[in-house]
Amino acid sequence: MRTREATWRDLSAMARLEAACFPHDAWSEATFWSELAERPHRSYWVATDGGGPEEPLVGYAGVSTVDDVAEVMTLAVDPGRRGCGLGARLLDLLHARAHDAGSTAVLLEVRADNEAARALYGTRGYRVAHTRRGYYRSAGGGPAVDALVMRKELV
Ligand SMILES: CC(C)(COP(=O)(O)OP(=O)(O)OC[C@H]1O[C@@H](n2cnc3c(N)ncnc32)[C@H](O)[C@@H]1OP(=O)(O)O)[C@@H](O)C(=O)NCCC(=O)NCCS
């Protein structure tokens, strides 16, 4: 498993993995293009099964470092590759990038019913800063789901 900074060539694979990981509210490839265009204030990382340009993408993550408080923009791991530490590894890369950019803390937003992501963020020192009640609509007209804004100090 290798990690490296994302390039323009990765964007269609990132969009495909995004659709598999976020079936109800996936970012489009165009959104990933606009995100990468914001570099150096955005930093996107990918994980691949090997080092070559054709190696399959198995995860990606991005962080915004516009402000003193950085923001995790997205994080996803291929469903077949979860539970092996890859999500934590990508998150650590975002923290290192934010620290290098001078950020003192990181924020992110997560669905309250996303237990895997909440557990991961908890192990990495995030705590709930506040709750946005009923922020996410559910598929099929189910009850709305809260968004948790979580924060981690970097210093
Ligand atoms: C959230 C996600 C990125 C985690 O990736 P992952 O590679 O499976 O996570 P890791 O293997 O690095 O797990 C790190 C820690 O998170 C926790 N964790 C991960 N998956 C978990 C699960 N399904 N249930 C409970 N805890 C879990 C564990 O504490 C784990 O530590 P451990 O290995 O010591 O037990 C992955 O589930 C995913 O892509 N989900 C869909 C997209 C998504 O929801 N992204 C986050 C949006 S805010």
Side-chain angles (χ1 to χ4, degrees):
M1 191 79 61
R2 287 172 53 114
T3 50
R4 59 170 171 77
E5 281 205 77
T7 73
W8 301 110
R9 289 181 176 196
D10 295 312
L11 296 187
S12 54
M14 288 167 74
R16 279 197 300 276
L17 188 50
E18 169 90 2
C21 292
F22 300 99
H24 303 299
D25 50 3
W27 281 5
S28 66
E29 188 172 334
T31 301
F32 280 109
W33 275 85
S34 353
E35 282 292 301
L36 222 62
E38 295 295 322
R39 291 177 297 180
H41 300 301
R42 295 283 198 282
S43 177
Y44 278 80
W45 296 82
V46 294
T48 65
D49 262 337
E54 304 304 326
E55 296 291 346
L57 201 99
V58 293
Y60 59 83
V63 65
S64 166
T65 53
V66 174
D67 300 315
D68 289 350
V69 178
E71 186 177 354
V72 173
M73 303 302 293
T74 187
L75 168 67
V77 170
D78 184 305
R81 306 301 290 269
R82 292 179 188 163
C84 303
L86 185 52
R89 193 165 146 190
L90 286 165
L91 192 56
D92 289 344
L93 282 171
L94 302 190
H95 296 157
R97 173 72 189 129
H99 185 267
D100 290 350
S103 303
T104 54
V106 194
L107 286 177
L108 58 78
E109 188 182 280
V110 60
R111 285 176 66 108
D113 61 359
N114 189 343
E115 289 178 17
R118 287 181 62 181
L120 165 60
Y121 299 143
T123 65
R124 283 307 193 261
Y126 284 84
R127 298 292 173 258
V128 176
H130 61 273
T131 301
R132 293 182 177 142
R133 298 270 170 229
Y135 185 78
Y136 294 107
R137 270 172 289 175
S138 284
V145 177
D146 293 346
L148 306 180
V149 176
M150 302 185 78
R151 179 182 173 113
K152 171 191 169 69
E153 305 305 319
L154 287 177
V155 288

Coordinates of all heavy atoms in Angstrom, one line a residue, residues 65-144:
T65 N -6.7 24.0 4.1 CA -5.8 24.7 5.1 C -5.9 26.2 4.9 O -4.9 26.9 5.1 CB -4.4 24.2 5.0 OG1 -3.9 24.3 3.7 CG2 -4.2 22.8 5.5
V66 N -7.0 26.7 4.5 CA -7.2 28.2 4.2 C -7.1 28.9 5.5 O -6.4 30.0 5.6 CB -8.6 28.4 3.6 CG1 -8.8 29.9 3.5 CG2 -8.7 27.8 2.3
D67 N -7.6 28.4 6.6 CA -7.7 29.1 7.9 C -6.7 28.5 8.9 O -6.2 27.4 8.7 CB -9.1 29.1 8.5 CG -10.1 29.7 7.5 OD1 -9.8 30.8 7.0 OD2 -11.2 29.1 7.3
D68 N -6.6 29.2 10.1 CA -5.8 28.6 11.2 C -6.4 27.3 11.6 O -5.6 26.4 12.0 CB -5.8 29.5 12.4 CG -5.0 30.8 12.1 OD1 -4.3 30.8 11.1 OD2 -5.2 31.7 13.0
V69 N -7.7 27.1 11.5 CA -8.3 25.9 11.8 C -8.6 25.2 10.4 O -9.4 25.6 9.6 CB -9.6 26.1 12.6 CG1 -10.3 24.7 12.8 CG2 -9.4 26.8 13.9
A70 N -7.9 24.1 10.2 CA -8.0 23.3 9.0 C -9.3 22.5 9.0 O -10.0 22.4 10.0 CB -6.8 22.3 8.8
E71 N -9.7 22.0 7.8 CA -11.0 21.3 7.7 C -10.8 20.0 6.9 O -10.3 20.1 5.8 CB -12.0 22.2 7.1 CG -13.4 21.5 7.1 CD -14.5 22.4 6.5 OE1 -14.2 23.6 6.2 OE2 -15.6 22.0 6.4
V72 N -11.1 18.9 7.4 CA -11.1 17.7 6.6 C -12.3 17.8 5.7 O -13.4 17.9 6.1 CB -11.3 16.4 7.5 CG1 -11.4 15.2 6.7 CG2 -10.1 16.3 8.5
M73 N -12.0 17.7 4.4 CA -13.0 17.8 3.3 C -13.6 16.5 3.0 O -14.8 16.4 2.8 CB -12.4 18.4 2.0 CG -11.7 19.7 2.2 SD -12.7 21.0 2.9 CE -13.9 21.2 1.5
T74 N -12.9 15.5 3.0 CA -13.4 14.1 2.7 C -12.4 13.1 3.1 O -11.2 13.4 3.2 CB -13.7 14.0 1.2 OG1 -14.4 12.8 0.9 CG2 -12.5 14.1 0.3
L75 N -12.9 11.9 3.3 CA -12.0 10.7 3.6 C -12.8 9.5 3.2 O -14.0 9.3 3.7 CB -11.7 10.7 5.1 CG -11.1 9.4 5.7 CD1 -9.7 9.2 5.1 CD2 -11.0 9.5 7.2
A76 N -12.2 8.6 2.5 CA -12.9 7.4 2.1 C -12.0 6.3 1.8 O -10.9 6.5 1.3 CB -13.8 7.6 0.9
V77 N -12.4 5.0 2.1 CA -11.6 3.8 1.8 C -12.5 2.9 1.1 O -13.7 2.7 1.4 CB -11.1 3.2 3.2 CG1 -10.4 1.9 3.0 CG2 -10.1 4.2 3.8
D78 N -11.9 2.2 0.1 CA -12.6 1.2 -0.7 C -13.3 0.2 0.3 O -12.7 -0.3 1.2 CB -11.6 0.4 -1.5 CG -12.2 -0.6 -2.4 OD1 -12.9 -1.5 -1.9 OD2 -12.0 -0.5 -3.7
P79 N -14.6 -0.1 0.1 CA -15.3 -1.0 1.0 C -14.6 -2.3 1.3 O -14.6 -2.9 2.4 CB -16.6 -1.2 0.4 CG -16.9 0.0 -0.5 CD -15.5 0.4 -0.9
G80 N -13.9 -2.8 0.3 CA -13.2 -4.1 0.4 C -11.8 -4.0 1.2 O -11.2 -5.0 1.5
R81 N -11.4 -2.8 1.5 CA -10.1 -2.6 2.1 C -10.2 -1.9 3.5 O -9.2 -1.4 4.0 CB -9.2 -1.7 1.2 CG -9.1 -2.3 -0.2 CD -8.5 -3.7 -0.2 NE -7.1 -3.6 0.2 CZ -6.1 -3.5 -0.7 NH1 -6.4 -3.5 -2.0 NH2 -4.9 -3.5 -0.3
R82 N -11.4 -1.9 4.0 CA -11.6 -1.2 5.3 C -11.1 -2.1 6.5 O -11.0 -3.3 6.4 CB -13.0 -0.8 5.5 CG -13.4 0.3 4.5 CD -14.9 0.7 4.7 NE -15.2 1.6 3.6 CZ -16.4 1.9 3.1 NH1 -17.5 1.4 3.8 NH2 -16.6 2.7 2.1
G83 N -10.9 -1.5 7.6 CA -10.5 -2.2 8.8 C -9.0 -2.6 8.9 O -8.6 -3.4 9.7
C84 N -8.2 -2.0 8.0 CA -6.8 -2.4 7.9 C -5.9 -1.2 8.3 O -4.7 -1.3 8.0 CB -6.4 -2.9 6.6 SG -7.4 -4.3 6.0
G85 N -6.4 -0.2 8.8 CA -5.6 1.0 9.2 C -5.4 2.1 8.1 O -4.8 3.0 8.4
L86 N -6.1 1.9 7.0 CA -5.8 2.8 5.9 C -6.5 4.2 6.1 O -5.9 5.2 5.9 CB -6.3 2.2 4.6 CG -6.1 3.0 3.3 CD1 -4.6 3.4 3.2 CD2 -6.5 2.2 2.1
G87 N -7.7 4.1 6.7 CA -8.4 5.4 7.0 C -7.6 6.2 8.0 O -7.4 7.4 7.8
A88 N -7.0 5.5 9.0 CA -6.2 6.2 10.0 C -4.9 6.8 9.4 O -4.5 7.9 9.7 CB -5.9 5.3 11.1
R89 N -4.4 6.0 8.5 CA -3.1 6.5 7.8 C -3.4 7.7 7.0 O -2.6 8.7 7.0 CB -2.6 5.3 6.9 CG -1.2 5.5 6.4 CD -0.7 4.2 5.9 NE 0.2 4.4 4.8 CZ 0.6 3.4 4.0 NH1 0.3 2.2 4.3 NH2 1.5 3.7 3.0
L90 N -4.5 7.7 6.2 CA -4.8 8.9 5.4 C -5.1 10.1 6.3 O -4.7 11.2 6.0 CB -6.0 8.6 4.5 CG -5.7 7.7 3.3 CD1 -7.0 7.1 2.7 CD2 -4.9 8.4 2.2
L91 N -5.8 9.9 7.4 CA -6.1 11.0 8.3 C -4.8 11.6 8.9 O -4.7 12.8 9.0 CB -7.1 10.5 9.4 CG -7.8 11.5 10.3 CD1 -8.6 12.5 9.5 CD2 -8.7 10.8 11.3
D92 N -3.9 10.7 9.2 CA -2.6 11.2 9.8 C -1.9 12.1 8.8 O -1.2 13.1 9.1 CB -1.7 10.0 10.2 CG -2.3 9.3 11.4 OD1 -3.1 9.9 12.1 OD2 -1.8 8.2 11.7
L93 N -2.0 11.7 7.5 CA -1.4 12.6 6.4 C -2.0 13.9 6.4 O -1.3 15.0 6.3 CB -1.5 11.9 5.1 CG -0.6 10.7 4.7 CD1 -1.1 10.1 3.4 CD2 0.8 11.2 4.6
L94 N -3.3 14.0 6.6 CA -4.0 15.3 6.6 C -3.5 16.1 7.8 O -3.3 17.3 7.6 CB -5.5 15.1 6.6 CG -6.2 14.3 5.5 CD1 -7.7 14.5 5.6 CD2 -5.7 14.7 4.1
H95 N -3.4 15.5 8.9 CA -3.0 16.2 10.1 C -1.6 16.8 9.9 O -1.3 17.9 10.3 CB -3.0 15.3 11.3 CG -4.3 14.8 11.7 ND1 -4.6 13.7 12.4 CD2 -5.6 15.3 11.4 CE1 -5.8 13.5 12.6 NE2 -6.5 14.5 12.0
A96 N -0.7 16.0 9.3 CA 0.7 16.4 9.1 C 0.7 17.6 8.1 O 1.4 18.6 8.4 CB 1.5 15.3 8.5
R97 N -0.1 17.5 7.1 CA -0.2 18.6 6.1 C -0.7 19.9 6.8 O -0.2 21.0 6.5 CB -1.1 18.2 5.0 CG -1.4 19.2 4.0 CD -0.2 19.5 3.1 NE -0.4 20.7 2.3 CZ 0.4 21.7 2.2 NH1 1.5 21.7 2.9 NH2 0.1 22.8 1.5
A98 N -1.8 19.7 7.6 CA -2.3 20.9 8.2 C -1.3 21.5 9.2 O -1.2 22.7 9.3 CB -3.6 20.5 9.0
H99 N -0.6 20.7 9.9 CA 0.4 21.2 10.8 C 1.5 21.9 10.1 O 1.9 23.1 10.5 CB 1.0 20.0 11.6 CG 1.9 20.4 12.7 ND1 3.3 20.5 12.5 CD2 1.7 20.8 14.0 CE1 3.9 20.9 13.6 NE2 3.0 21.1 14.5
D100 N 1.9 21.4 9.0 CA 3.0 22.0 8.2 C 2.5 23.4 7.6 O 3.3 24.3 7.4 CB 3.4 21.2 7.0 CG 4.2 19.9 7.5 OD1 4.6 19.9 8.6 OD2 4.4 19.0 6.6
A101 N 1.2 23.5 7.4 CA 0.6 24.7 6.8 C 0.3 25.7 7.9 O -0.2 26.8 7.6 CB -0.7 24.4 6.1
G102 N 0.6 25.4 9.2 CA 0.5 26.3 10.3 C -0.9 26.3 11.0 O -1.2 27.1 11.9
S103 N -1.7 25.3 10.7 CA -3.0 25.1 11.4 C -2.8 24.7 12.8 O -1.9 23.9 13.1 CB -3.9 24.1 10.6 OG -4.0 24.5 9.3
T104 N -3.6 25.1 13.7 CA -3.5 24.8 15.1 C -4.6 23.8 15.5 O -4.5 23.2 16.6 CB -3.6 26.0 16.0 OG1 -4.8 26.7 15.6 CG2 -2.4 27.0 15.8
A105 N -5.6 23.6 14.7 CA -6.6 22.6 15.0 C -7.3 22.2 13.7 O -7.0 22.8 12.6 CB -7.7 23.3 15.9
V106 N -8.1 21.1 13.8 CA -8.8 20.6 12.6 C -10.2 20.3 12.9 O -10.5 19.8 14.0 CB -8.2 19.2 12.1 CG1 -8.7 18.9 10.7 CG2 -6.7 19.2 12.1
L107 N -11.1 20.7 12.0 CA -12.5 20.5 12.2 C -13.0 19.5 11.1 O -12.3 19.4 10.0 CB -13.3 21.7 12.0 CG -13.3 22.8 13.0 CD1 -14.2 24.0 12.5 CD2 -13.9 22.3 14.3
L108 N -14.0 18.7 11.4 CA -14.7 17.9 10.4 C -16.1 17.8 10.7 O -16.5 18.1 11.8 CB -14.0 16.6 10.2 CG -13.9 15.7 11.4 CD1 -15.2 15.0 11.7 CD2 -12.8 14.6 11.2
E109 N -16.9 17.3 9.8 CA -18.3 17.1 10.0 C -18.6 15.6 9.6 O -18.2 15.1 8.6 CB -19.1 18.0 9.1 CG -20.5 18.1 9.3 CD -21.2 19.0 8.3 OE1 -21.1 20.2 8.5 OE2 -21.7 18.5 7.3
V110 N -19.4 15.0 10.5 CA -19.7 13.6 10.2 C -21.2 13.3 10.6 O -21.7 13.9 11.5 CB -18.7 12.7 11.0 CG1 -18.8 12.9 12.5 CG2 -18.9 11.2 10.7
R111 N -21.8 12.4 9.8 CA -23.1 12.0 10.2 C -23.1 11.3 11.5 O -22.3 10.5 11.8 CB -23.7 11.0 9.2 CG -24.1 11.6 7.8 CD -24.5 10.5 6.9 NE -25.7 9.9 7.3 CZ -26.9 10.0 6.7 NH1 -27.0 10.7 5.7 NH2 -27.9 9.3 7.2
A112 N -24.1 11.6 12.4 CA -24.2 11.0 13.7 C -24.3 9.5 13.6 O -23.9 8.8 14.5 CB -25.3 11.6 14.5
D113 N -24.9 8.9 12.5 CA -25.1 7.5 12.4 C -23.9 6.8 11.7 O -24.0 5.6 11.4 CB -26.4 7.2 11.7 CG -26.4 7.7 10.3 OD1 -25.5 8.4 9.8 OD2 -27.5 7.5 9.6
N114 N -22.8 7.5 11.4 CA -21.6 6.9 10.8 C -20.7 6.4 11.9 O -19.7 7.1 12.2 CB -20.9 7.9 9.9 CG -19.9 7.3 9.0 OD1 -19.4 6.2 9.3 ND2 -19.5 8.0 8.0
E115 N -20.9 5.2 12.4 CA -20.2 4.7 13.5 C -18.7 4.5 13.2 O -17.9 4.7 14.1 CB -20.9 3.4 14.1 CG -22.2 3.8 14.7 CD -22.9 2.5 15.2 OE1 -22.3 1.5 15.4 OE2 -24.1 2.7 15.5
A116 N -18.4 3.9 12.1 CA -17.0 3.7 11.7 C -16.2 4.9 11.7 O -15.1 5.0 12.3 CB -17.0 3.0 10.4
A117 N -16.7 6.0 11.1 CA -16.0 7.2 11.0 C -15.9 7.9 12.4 O -14.8 8.3 12.8 CB -16.7 8.2 10.0
R118 N -16.9 7.8 13.1 CA -16.9 8.4 14.5 C -15.9 7.7 15.3 O -15.1 8.4 16.1 CB -18.3 8.4 15.1 CG -19.2 9.4 14.5 CD -20.6 9.3 15.2 NE -20.5 9.7 16.6 CZ -21.5 9.7 17.4 NH1 -22.7 9.4 17.0 NH2 -21.4 10.0 18.7
A119 N -15.8 6.4 15.2 CA -14.8 5.6 16.0 C -13.4 6.0 15.6 O -12.5 6.2 16.4 CB -15.1 4.2 15.9
L120 N -13.2 6.1 14.3 CA -11.9 6.5 13.8 C -11.5 7.8 14.3 O -10.4 8.0 14.8 CB -11.9 6.5 12.2 CG -10.7 7.2 11.5 CD1 -9.4 6.5 11.9 CD2 -10.9 7.1 10.0
Y121 N -12.4 8.8 14.2 CA -12.0 10.2 14.6 C -11.8 10.2 16.2 O -10.9 10.9 16.6 CB -13.1 11.1 14.3 CG -13.4 11.2 12.8 CD1 -14.7 11.3 12.2 CD2 -12.3 11.1 11.9 CE1 -14.9 11.4 10.9 CE2 -12.5 11.1 10.5 CZ -13.8 11.3 10.0 OH -14.0 11.3 8.6
G122 N -12.5 9.4 16.9 CA -12.3 9.3 18.3 C -10.9 8.8 18.7 O -10.2 9.4 19.6
T123 N -10.5 7.8 17.9 CA -9.1 7.3 18.2 C -8.0 8.3 17.8 O -6.9 8.2 18.3 CB -8.8 5.9 17.4 OG1 -8.8 6.2 16.0 CG2 -9.9 4.9 17.7
R124 N -8.4 9.2 17.0 CA -7.4 10.2 16.6 C -7.5 11.5 17.3 O -7.0 12.5 16.9 CB -7.5 10.4 15.0 CG -6.8 9.3 14.2 CD -5.4 9.1 14.7 NE -4.6 8.3 13.9 CZ -4.3 7.0 14.1 NH1 -4.9 6.3 15.1 NH2 -3.5 6.3 13.3
G125 N -8.3 11.5 18.4 CA -8.3 12.7 19.3 C -9.3 13.7 19.0 O -9.3 14.8 19.5
Y126 N -10.3 13.4 18.1 CA -11.4 14.4 17.8 C -12.4 14.3 18.9 O -12.7 13.2 19.4 CB -12.0 14.1 16.5 CG -11.2 14.5 15.3 CD1 -10.2 13.7 14.8 CD2 -11.5 15.7 14.7 CE1 -9.5 14.1 13.7 CE2 -10.7 16.1 13.6 CZ -9.7 15.3 13.1 OH -9.0 15.7 12.0
R127 N -13.0 15.4 19.2 CA -14.1 15.5 20.2 C -15.3 16.3 19.5 O -15.0 17.2 18.8 CB -13.7 16.2 21.5 CG -12.6 15.4 22.2 CD -13.1 14.0 22.8 NE -12.0 13.2 23.3 CZ -11.4 12.2 22.7 NH1 -11.8 11.8 21.5 NH2 -10.4 11.5 23.3
V128 N -16.5 16.0 19.9 CA -17.6 16.7 19.3 C -17.6 18.1 19.8 O -17.6 18.4 21.0 CB -19.0 16.0 19.7 CG1 -20.2 16.8 19.2 CG2 -19.0 14.6 19.1
A129 N -17.6 19.1 18.9 CA -17.6 20.5 19.3 C -19.1 21.0 19.3 O -19.5 21.7 20.2 CB -16.8 21.3 18.2
H130 N -19.9 20.6 18.3 CA -21.3 20.9 18.4 C -22.1 20.0 17.4 O -21.5 19.3 16.6 CB -21.6 22.4 18.2 CG -21.2 23.0 16.9 ND1 -19.9 23.5 16.7 CD2 -21.8 23.1 15.7 CE1 -19.8 23.9 15.4 NE2 -21.0 23.7 14.8
T131 N -23.4 20.1 17.5 CA -24.3 19.3 16.7 C -25.2 20.1 15.9 O -25.7 21.1 16.4 CB -25.2 18.4 17.7 OG1 -24.3 17.6 18.5 CG2 -26.1 17.5 16.9
R132 N -25.3 19.7 14.6 CA -26.3 20.4 13.7 C -27.5 19.5 13.6 O -27.4 18.4 12.9 CB -25.7 20.7 12.3 CG -24.6 21.7 12.4 CD -24.0 22.0 11.0 NE -23.0 23.0 11.2 CZ -21.9 23.1 10.5 NH1 -21.6 22.2 9.6 NH2 -21.0 24.0 10.7
R133 N -28.6 19.8 14.3 CA -29.7 19.0 14.4 C -30.4 18.8 13.0 O -30.7 19.7 12.3 CB -30.8 19.6 15.3 CG -30.3 19.7 16.7 CD -30.5 18.5 17.6 NE -29.8 18.6 18.9 CZ -29.1 17.6 19.4 NH1 -28.9 16.5 18.8 NH2 -28.5 17.8 20.5
G134 N -30.6 17.5 12.7 CA -31.4 17.2 11.4 C -30.7 17.7 10.2 O -31.4 18.0 9.2
Y135 N -29.4 17.8 10.2 CA -28.7 18.4 9.0 C -28.8 17.5 7.8 O -28.9 18.1 6.7 CB -27.2 18.6 9.5 CG -26.4 19.3 8.5 CD1 -26.5 20.7 8.4 CD2 -25.5 18.6 7.7 CE1 -25.7 21.4 7.4 CE2 -24.7 19.3 6.7 CZ -24.8 20.7 6.6 OH -24.0 21.4 5.7
Y136 N -28.7 16.2 7.9 CA -28.7 15.3 6.7 C -30.1 14.7 6.5 O -30.7 14.2 7.4 CB -27.7 14.2 6.9 CG -26.3 14.6 7.0 CD1 -25.6 14.5 8.3 CD2 -25.6 14.9 5.9 CE1 -24.3 14.9 8.3 CE2 -24.2 15.3 6.0 CZ -23.6 15.3 7.2 OH -22.3 15.6 7.3
R137 N -30.5 14.8 5.2 CA -31.7 14.1 4.9 C -31.4 12.6 4.7 O -30.4 12.3 4.2 CB -32.3 14.7 3.6 CG -33.3 15.8 3.9 CD -33.7 16.5 2.6 NE -32.6 17.2 2.0 CZ -32.6 17.8 0.9 NH1 -33.6 17.8 0.1 NH2 -31.5 18.5 0.4
S138 N -32.4 11.8 5.0 CA -32.2 10.4 4.9 C -32.7 9.9 3.5 O -33.7 10.5 3.0 CB -32.9 9.6 6.0 OG -32.2 9.7 7.1
A139 N -32.1 8.9 3.0 CA -32.6 8.3 1.7 C -34.0 7.7 2.0 O -34.3 7.2 3.1 CB -31.7 7.2 1.2
G140 N -34.9 7.9 1.0 CA -36.3 7.3 1.1 C -37.2 8.0 2.1 O -38.2 7.4 2.6
G141 N -36.9 9.2 2.4 CA -37.8 10.0 3.3 C -37.7 9.6 4.8 O -38.6 10.0 5.5
G142 N -36.7 8.9 5.2 CA -36.6 8.6 6.6 C -36.3 9.8 7.4 O -36.1 10.9 6.9
P143 N -36.2 9.7 8.8 CA -35.9 10.8 9.6 C -34.5 11.4 9.3 O -33.6 10.7 9.0 CB -35.9 10.2 11.0 CG -35.8 8.8 10.9 CD -36.3 8.4 9.5
A144 N -34.5 12.8 9.4 CA -33.2 13.5 9.2 C -32.2 13.0 10.3 O -32.5 12.6 11.4 CB -33.4 15.0 9.3

